Amino acid sequence: MKIGFIQLNPKFGEIENNVEKAISYIENANADLIVLPELFNTGYLFLNFKEALELAEKVPDGYTTKKLIDIAKKTRTFIVAGIAELYENKVYNSAVIVGPNGYIGTYRKAHLFYKEKEIFTPGNTGFKVFDIGEAKIGVIICFDWCFPEAARILALKGADIICHPANLVLPYAQKVMLARSIENRVYTITANRIGTESRGGMTLNFTGMSQITSPKMELLVQASKDKEEVDVINVDISLARNKWITKLNHVFKDRRIDLYAELI
Ligand code: ACM
């Protein structure tokens, strides 16, 4: 199965340009599954809720999701893409999942990062797994990396690949996702953005280095820190269905849930 990411430098507020650029990359990617960054169509640094409300779109009937569905049908690609979702006068930091047969589902970011708490409503979808035929996929968004429970739930529900749209500003997630891969024996695809946003007296530098990790904790590919790029690689999904880390150790069956009550 050919899986990959598109590392982008979206321009704040320029939805049509950002979507057109992503579509031209998808058109040439020749992938079965491709992941785009968090908020790839709007940019990241909303100054206030009103600004987010103006740029957010309904799912699946909004402009961006419709455009993604068109290109997914044309190229027969499954796409996971981060957008600001408008729902009942609330804005969620969401990812839409679309494919050759149209709209598949939405994940709403559960763990909001820093000032996102002033803009977005915390996600209420839980951690869902989508069967796309060749693989089962789950989605987490950016700062969700800091909560291993999210990836664990997805893996327990059968996800072979954890798709991870991101706008990373801290230097940790690329390393952490290697751990999420080995402890759950799954592939992970982190699609990060690059560039800088300066708005309202705040400047954020996004770290690039989008990557794909394997169920054996290999860094299969990693992008640059500062260039837009598309990377697609061939992976063997059956590897993610073998949860034995030694002949005698199974990463799910060996869990001691009788000792984990404090977790909740
Ligand atoms: C982040 O969650 N966008 C850092």
Side-chain angles (χ1 to χ4, degrees), residues 19 22-28 34 36 64-79 98-100:
V19 170
I23 282 173
S24 70
Y25 282 130
I26 294 167
E27 217 153 20
N28 296 309
I34 200 105
L36 301 180
T64 300
T65 308
K66 283 210 250 177
K67 285 277 186 183
L68 291 172
I69 289 169
D70 289 347
I71 192 67
K73 287 183 174 171
K74 186 168 162 205
T75 57
R76 306 208 58 76
T77 307
F78 290 91
I79 303 167
V98 302

Side-chain angles (χ1 to χ4, degrees), residues 20 45 47 117 151 162 166 177 234-235 245 261:
E20 282 313 315
L45 241 181
L47 295 184
K117 293 186 178 195
I162 294 179
M177 293 309 285
N234 225 327
V235 296
I245 193 163

Side-chain angles (χ1 to χ4, degrees), residues 35 37 82 90 96 116 123 140 155 159 167 192 196 219 233 246 260 262:
V35 184
K90 294 192 269 261
V96 292
E116 287 175 29
I140 61 174
N167 277 192
N192 195 16
T196 299
L219 187 56
I233 58 168
T246 73
Y260 300 162
E262 283 97 337

Side-chain angles (χ1 to χ4, degrees), residues 48-94:
N48 50 51
F49 174 69
K50 187 168 163 281
E51 210 176 58
L53 205 55
E54 277 161 15
L55 289 172
E57 297 175 13
K58 289 194 175 156
V59 175
D61 297 324
Y63 171 81
T64 300
T65 308
K66 283 210 250 177
K67 285 277 186 183
L68 291 172
I69 289 169
D70 289 347
I71 192 67
K73 287 183 174 171
K74 186 168 162 205
T75 57
R76 306 208 58 76
T77 307
F78 290 91
I79 303 167
V80 177
I83 72 165
E85 180 197 358
L86 176 64
Y87 183 77
E88 291 182 345
N89 221 42
K90 294 192 269 261
V91 181
Y92 292 96
N93 184 338
S94 294

Side-chain angles (χ1 to χ4, degrees), residues 120-255:
F120 299 106
T121 299
N124 56 359
T125 51
F127 304 102
K128 296 191 275 193
V129 169
F130 305 94
D131 190 342
I132 61 166
E134 279 188 85
K136 290 185 180 169
I137 65 169
V139 183
I140 61 174
I141 298 179
C142 207
F143 190 53
D144 285 330
W145 64 262
C146 198
F147 303 87
E149 295 86 352
R152 176 68 99 196
I153 289 168
L154 290 173
L156 287 170
K157 286 174 149 178
D160 305 302
I161 306 170
I162 294 179
C163 303
H164 182 212
N167 277 192
L168 295 163
V169 291
L170 302 177
Y172 311 121
Q174 285 89 344
K175 291 192 182 95
V176 167
M177 293 309 285
L178 285 161
R180 296 295 90 86
S181 261
I182 190 66
E183 70 203 5
N184 295 299
R185 303 275 292 185
V186 292
Y187 291 96
T188 74
I189 308 172
T190 297
N192 195 16
R193 62 162 291 176
I194 56 161
T196 299
E197 278 187 19
S198 280
R199 306 193 74 238
M202 193 196 252
T203 296
L204 290 178
N205 297 308
F206 300 99
T207 59
M209 299 168 77
S210 300
Q211 64 182 27
I212 302 178
T213 66
S214 84
K216 293 181 177 173
M217 206 174 166
E218 298 150 315
L219 187 56
L220 296 176
V221 59
Q222 189 169 61
S224 65
K225 288 184 179 150
D226 55 4
K227 290 188 187 55
E228 291 199 333
E229 64 184 87
V230 183
D231 281 285
V232 176
I233 58 168
N234 225 327
V235 296
D236 175 4
I237 293 299
S238 70
L239 252 186
R241 296 187 176 169
N242 177 2
K243 303 300 183 187
W244 295 97
I245 193 163
T246 73
K247 277 188 186 158
L248 299 179
N249 294 102
H250 187 283
V251 294
F252 293 165
K253 290 183 185 156
D254 279 11
R255 287 175 307 132

